[in-house]
Amino acid sequence: MGAYILRRLLLMIPTILGIMAISFAVIQFAPGGPVERIIAELTGQGGSATDRVSGSDGDFSGGNIAEASGDASSKYRGAQGLDPEFIEQLEVQFGFDKPPLTRFGIMIWNYSRFDFGESYFRDIAVVDLILEKMPVSVSLGLWITFLSYGISIPLGIRKAVGDGSGFDIWTSGVIIVAYAIPGFLFAILLMVLFAGGSFFDWFPLRGLTSENFSDLSTLEQIVDYFWHLALPLTAMALSAFATTTLLTKNSFLDEIRKQYVQTARAKGLGERQVLYGHVFRNAMLIIIAGFPAAFISSFFTGSLLIETIFSLDGLGLLGFESIIGRDYPVVFATLFIFSLLGLVVSLISDITYTLIDPRIDFEAREV
């Protein structure tokens, strides 16, 4: 197992490099950029962009811009009328004075040391920014994953045991309908019904905790925390457990029909012993295989709209705003961190395979 883990760790290096290289190349061909954003704000909204760059090494004062040559040509759209020296200083500030390959190499070298730099427009380290938004995404991701698996596995087992029964049929109908309803539409419905819309005002609509959270007792803080999470989690859970439930049911059905189950029953073992002592371990392998993807995707899938509707400032909203605002350090840092996290969790999933079923031997196969 040690050799397999080492190979997987070494394979993470080219995988991460490939992900970052493709993303970096796509960004190079995407229209716009941080320099264009500054230019657009200068030409369209006055000095707001100047305020952002005034703390850099160059002196980007309004007087310098006012003295710009109207005949200056630039490779940037809308840059006519701005001082070419000012544009060059912007390029130096954002690192665009270097060739793309050089910039990519510097980025990878910094990332290999977990140095993610600072946001272009927020005047804060990228790591600090991610940590600031992390509580919302961790709360949504962890609880929706546990809630989903906590519902899906028992329900899937119950459906498999009673395959074809009335319970199996009507629960399948409910699951399919729930899966078809977009989470953001259900979130709006919950907001209208229970969050001060046309009916009840039972739940808050903003933030992860109340403003007086620090003044509450421990029990009151726990209640307040889940009070704020109730509607977002309900909206996200509507369709979250459908796939896992049906996967659990089909996996258990496949195992129940195998010969070893008939043999166990013939030996006089009770149905519960057969189900949880023999079938459960084999049937759960495929569920465990999907856990890393479900865990990582729970941070992003549907979270952007849910965070926006319920005013939750998490990683989904941060990523969207960073892409729209061309805040490349945040975009690439989050991509790197969560790609690396996904690969590590996938490795942990393989290790868990062997803990659940010792018959699985990754050493015996080629990676």
Side-chain angles (χ1 to χ4, degrees):
M1 191 64 184
Y4 172 76
I5 294 175
L6 179 60
R7 289 198 298 269
R8 286 290 299 272
L9 291 174
L10 291 176
L11 281 173
M12 289 181 186
I13 298 175
T15 303
I16 289 290
L17 284 175
I19 293 173
M20 299 304 296
I22 293 174
S23 303
F24 188 86
V26 170
I27 288 295
Q28 303 312 304
F29 294 100
V35 175
E36 285 87 345
R37 175 180 170 179
I38 297 294
I39 292 172
E41 292 184 356
L42 280 171
T43 56
Q45 300 180 13
S48 61
T50 309
D51 296 337
R52 284 194 174 92
V53 298
S54 60
S56 61
D57 294 337
D59 180 15
F60 303 141
S61 62
N64 289 338
I65 298 171
E67 297 169 359
S69 170
D71 299 326
S73 60
S74 174
K75 61 182 177 181
Y76 297 105
R77 181 183 301 177
Q80 288 77 11
L82 295 180
D83 189 349
E85 183 180 349
F86 173 77
I87 301 298
E88 292 176 3
Q89 290 175 335
L90 281 179
E91 291 181 335
V92 172
Q93 178 187 353
F94 293 120
F96 289 100
D97 57 320
K98 303 179 181 65
L101 286 178
T102 302
R103 286 189 281 118
F104 179 74
I106 293 173
M107 181 183 70
I108 293 299
W109 169 246
N110 290 334
Y111 283 11
S112 67
R113 297 178 290 120
F114 294 95
D115 177 10
F116 301 108
E118 292 191 357
S119 167
Y120 281 162
F121 304 108
R122 298 174 188 252
D123 193 25
I124 184 176
V126 173
V127 172
D128 293 336
L129 185 61
I130 292 175
L131 292 177
E132 178 184 311
K133 312 297 183 182
M134 187 71 77
V136 170
S137 294
V138 168
S139 295
L140 292 176
L142 285 179
W143 288 116
I144 198 62
T145 301
F146 292 144
L147 184 64
S148 171
Y149 274 71
I151 295 174
S152 300
I153 293 176
L155 181 59
I157 295 174
R158 177 68 178 83
K159 287 171 63 64
V161 172
D163 184 39
S165 65
F167 175 82
D168 179 42
I169 293 173
W170 76 261
T171 52
S172 294
V174 171
I175 289 172
I176 292 172
V177 172
Y179 186 74
I181 299 176
F184 73 93
L185 286 180
F186 190 60
I188 295 174
L189 175 63
L190 292 175
M191 182 176 63
V192 171
L193 291 176
F194 303 113
S198 303
F199 297 90
F200 306 102
D201 189 7
W202 292 349
F203 296 94
L205 264 181
R206 181 175 298 276
L208 199 60
T209 57
S210 300
E211 293 182 0
N212 64 333
F213 184 78
S214 59
D215 300 328
L216 302 176
S217 65
T218 302
L219 180 59
E220 289 174 334
Q221 287 180 343
I222 295 174
V223 172
D224 181 78
Y225 172 72
F226 284 105
W227 182 47
H228 283 76
L229 281 178
L231 294 187
L233 288 180
T234 302
M236 294 177 69
L238 182 67
S239 60
F241 60 87
T243 302
T244 309
T245 299
L246 297 179
L247 187 63
T248 302
K249 174 192 173 182
N250 293 332
S251 180
F252 268 79
L253 280 178
D254 185 54
E255 293 296 323
I256 288 172
R257 294 166 181 164
K258 290 184 178 179
Q259 184 62 43
Y260 76 89
V261 176
Q262 305 301 324
T263 302
R265 286 171 176 165
K267 289 181 178 180
L269 294 179
E271 192 64 24
R272 191 175 186 82
Q273 288 178 298
V274 172
L275 192 62
Y276 292 100
H278 294 75
V279 175
F280 185 82
R281 184 179 67 179
N282 296 324
M284 286 303 295
L285 286 174
I286 192 171
I287 309 301
I288 293 173
F291 179 80
F295 180 76
I296 297 300
S297 64
S298 65
F299 288 106
F300 303 100
T301 306
S303 64
L304 170 60
L305 292 175
I306 298 299
E307 289 177 11
T308 303
I309 291 171
F310 293 104
S311 299
L312 296 171
D313 193 7
L315 290 175
L317 190 59
L318 172 65
F320 175 76
E321 291 177 344
S322 299
I323 293 173
I324 296 300
R326 301 300 193 266
D327 198 346
Y328 293 155
V330 179
V331 173
F332 286 121
T334 52
L335 175 65
F336 178 86
I337 291 172
F338 284 99
S339 296
L340 181 61
L341 181 61
L343 292 172
V344 172
V345 173
S346 179
L347 175 59
I348 293 174
S349 175
D350 286 349
I351 297 174
T352 309
Y353 267 135
T354 63
L355 297 178
I356 293 179
D357 190 349
R359 295 173 300 175
I360 297 177
D361 183 11
F362 289 106
E363 297 281 6
R365 68 170 187 162
E366 294 290 333
V367 179

